[in-house]
Amino acid sequence: MIGLLDAIRPGKPWLDRFTRRDYEEAFREYGDRFAPLFRTALEETAPDALAVSLLDGLEEARRKTRLWDRSVERVSEKQMMVVYLSPMLLQQGWEALARSLREEWCRRWPKDPYDIAPYDVLRYGFRSRILGIDLPDRR
């Protein structure tokens, strides 16, 4: 479980790379590092059970942080779920796990839900602007 938790915690090194220029390479590295771990876990555990145990692990790890840092940790974890983990799971064809994670998250924290989106939606969602004026995208 520790290796799977590393896909979400600590999120700062990955979230710092969620930029128009770095996201494509960061997402590829993230997938190369964590997809094999999730593949193995899914061979051994059903998606619903894996989602529950993964979020249990996140809660346990969060309990070990200082009280005033816990909400910041949860925001970071949620960003990792949205920006890296869910798109990777969708790209690998593990939609059941992505949906189970989202449903379990929403069950535990109903006032703090999130939605999942595929990699392409996130990757091409960045906009180029100068002084508030959108520039055409040169894809």
Side-chain angles (χ1 to χ4, degrees):
M1 182 57 61
I2 298 295
L4 297 180
L5 290 178
D6 290 342
I8 302 168
R9 292 178 58 104
K12 185 163 176 33
W14 294 106
L15 293 173
D16 287 346
R17 297 178 67 191
F18 183 60
T19 64
R20 183 171 51 94
R21 287 185 168 54
D22 291 340
Y23 182 54
E24 187 173 355
E25 181 182 345
F27 185 79
R28 186 174 39 255
E29 291 174 13
Y30 182 87
D32 290 346
R33 181 172 176 189
F34 295 111
L37 297 173
F38 279 91
R39 180 177 295 110
T40 302
L42 282 168
E43 289 171 356
E44 300 169 357
T45 310
D48 292 341
L50 185 57
V52 169
S53 66
L54 187 59
L55 292 181
D56 285 346
L58 288 178
E59 281 188 294
E60 182 63 32
R62 203 178 306 126
R63 281 189 204 109
K64 295 177 184 176
T65 62
R66 292 179 286 199
L67 184 62
W68 52 86
D69 288 337
R70 290 179 186 171
S71 62
V72 173
E73 287 293 322
R74 191 168 80 200
V75 169
S76 175
E77 292 165 1
K78 180 179 165 182
Q79 287 176 319
M80 286 298 295
M81 301 285 271
V82 171
V83 175
Y84 285 100
L85 182 59
S86 294
M88 180 198 71
L89 295 173
L90 292 175
Q91 190 177 54
Q92 296 292 325
W94 303 322
E95 185 174 347
L97 178 56
R99 296 215 181 276
S100 293
L101 281 167
R102 188 184 79 71
E103 289 167 6
E104 182 64 19
W105 181 283
C106 293
R107 188 188 65 73
R108 290 177 190 222
W109 303 289
K111 294 182 180 180
D112 191 25
Y114 72 89
D115 286 323
I116 58 177
Y119 167 75
D120 290 338
V121 169
L122 295 172
R123 170 67 181 97
Y124 296 112
F126 291 102
R127 295 184 179 173
S128 298
R129 287 185 171 183
I130 295 179
L131 299 174
I133 299 169
D134 285 334
L135 301 174
D137 194 11
R138 294 185 266 157
R139 281 187 224 161

